[in-house]
Amino acid sequence: MFNLGYLLEKRGDEAEAESWYRRAADAGNAAAMTNLGILLKERGDEAAAEVWWRRAAAAGSAAAMFNLGYLLEERGDEAQAESWWRRAAKAGSTFAKSRLGLRLRERQGRAGEKDG
């Protein structure tokens, strides 16, 4: 179900893809939950995306944890964003590790500006 949703999304049939992602997500597929969240966020439904990413994160999806971090950062909640990126990094997300490295460098730059 997830793979069919993914193929349909890549073909541009987002409505049908969403249907298959929902079926797979309801069956417990964390990847489908994650992709459903991405699809919904791209449509502008951040609240629904967050719900699916939180469900996927609870199921162990590092990608969902990473995406949730970005959503929270966009809302201005940097502490929670970083917390989710740390969880994603522990779950194996190389993207989250990279993002955390960038955050550390940004912090060091800000600290240097204050000192200089």
Side-chain angles (χ1 to χ4, degrees):
M1 291 182 279
F2 165 75
N3 289 334
L4 183 54
Y6 182 80
L7 289 172
L8 289 163
E9 182 180 4
K10 293 304 167 198
R11 287 184 185 165
D13 190 349
E14 291 181 4
E16 190 66 20
E18 180 180 349
S19 174
W20 285 101
Y21 281 151
R22 286 185 184 277
R23 291 177 194 174
D26 288 342
N29 185 303
M33 293 175 204
T34 301
N35 281 21
L36 182 56
I38 292 167
L39 190 68
L40 293 166
K41 171 94 168 49
E42 288 173 353
R43 286 190 192 152
D45 192 348
E46 291 183 359
E50 182 178 359
V51 168
W52 284 107
W53 285 336
R54 287 188 183 277
R55 284 183 63 187
S61 171
M65 295 172 199
F66 177 74
N67 289 332
L68 188 53
Y70 262 107
L71 179 66
L72 292 165
E73 182 185 48
E74 287 175 357
R75 291 181 182 163
D77 192 345
E78 293 184 15
Q80 279 299 308
E82 187 173 321
S83 174
W84 279 105
W85 289 329
R86 288 186 183 283
R87 292 178 200 180
K90 286 180 185 176
S93 170
T94 57
F95 294 113
K97 291 174 185 176
S98 175
R99 185 65 187 129
L100 285 167
L102 290 171
R103 295 281 293 184
L104 179 59
R105 191 170 68 194
E106 289 169 2
R107 264 197 219 129
Q108 288 175 339
R110 287 188 294 237
E113 289 173 7
K114 290 178 185 177
D115 294 339

